Amino acid sequence: MKNPFLVKHKEKAEFNQYWYSAKTIAFLAEQALASPGEVCFLSCPSVYGSVKGPDRDRCFLFDKVAGNNYFPYDFNRAEDIPVHFKARFSFILIDPPFITREVWQAYARTVRMIGAKDARVLCSTIDENADLLRELLGVERATFRPLIPNLVYQYSFFANFTNEALETVNEEIGF
C-alpha cells in the first residue's frame, strides 16, 4: 500500500524522526477518526498528513512542521498553548521524538491542557515506559503494536480506552 505522505517525506534520523508503516498509519487514522470530535496529532505528522477528505477539517497537527490546522508545538514549551485549544480535543495521538521521563512529562502537561473531558489518548513508546505512562496519562498497553520499519527497537501503543482493533495483533509484525 503506497502512502503519499511516506513517498513525499523522508525520515530524519538526526531528529529521531521515523515513520510508521502505511498499514500502521491507516490503523492510527482509523482510531483517531472514530472519535466524534476534534482530533490532535501531537508530534504525529505522518498520520496527520495521511488524513484526507472532509475529516481533515477536524484534525490538528501540533508539531514543528507546517500545514493547515497547524500549531508550532515545542515540548520544551509545553505550556505555551493558545487558549482556544484548551479542553478542545476528544482524541489525542502522541508520538514524541524522545522517550525520556522529562519529555513524557511535558507531553502529559500538554494533554491535560488540550484534552476535552473524557478525551481518548493513544500513545506510542517503548514497553519500558509502561509504568511512567500509566502514572502520567492513565494509559495501558494495547495488543496492536506499530511497525516502524527503520527503528531498531519495537514500540507499543498505550491507550486510556480499548476497542476490538486495539486488541488485535498487527499481522505486519506477528505479535
Side-chain angles (χ1 to χ4, degrees), residues 99-101 104 125-134 158:
I99 56 177
T100 65
R101 172 176 276 281
W104 273 111
T125 192
I126 57 173
D127 283 344
E128 291 79 4
N129 279 346
D131 291 339
L132 173 64
L133 291 184
R134 186 177 304 110
F158 296 82

Side-chain angles (χ1 to χ4, degrees), residues 3-9 19 25-26 29 41 43-53 56 59-63 65-69 93:
N3 177 301
F5 180 90
L6 296 177
V7 171
K8 185 177 179 182
H9 301 277
W19 305 138
I25 289 172
F41 295 99
S43 299
C44 301
S46 64
V47 183
Y48 171 80
S50 300
V51 174
K52 304 295 181 217
R56 182 74 177 259
C59 296
F60 291 78
L61 175 64
F62 283 35
D63 198 66
V65 299
N68 293 337
N69 290 350
L93 178 63

Side-chain angles (χ1 to χ4, degrees), residues 42 92 94 104-105 107-112 119 121-124 130-140 158-161:
L42 190 50
I92 304 168
I94 312 163
W104 273 111
Q105 287 171 327
Y107 276 82
R109 285 193 304 275
T110 299
V111 168
R112 285 191 290 277
V121 176
L122 182 58
C123 313
S124 177
D131 291 339
L132 173 64
L133 291 184
R134 186 177 304 110
E135 168 194 330
L136 295 174
L137 295 165
V139 297
E140 297 292 335
F158 296 82
N160 68 349
F161 64 98

Side-chain angles (χ1 to χ4, degrees), residues 59-108:
C59 296
F60 291 78
L61 175 64
F62 283 35
D63 198 66
K64 291 191 179 244
V65 299
N68 293 337
N69 290 350
Y70 161 76
F71 173 71
Y73 180 73
D74 180 350
F75 66 83
N76 292 305
R77 300 178 65 174
E79 290 81 12
D80 292 351
I81 304 293
V83 69
H84 66 276
F85 287 126
K86 305 281 172 124
R88 181 169 177 171
F89 298 101
S90 64
F91 188 97
I92 304 168
L93 178 63
I94 312 163
D95 185 25
F98 305 104
I99 56 177
T100 65
R101 172 176 276 281
E102 295 76 25
V103 169
W104 273 111
Q105 287 171 327
Y107 276 82

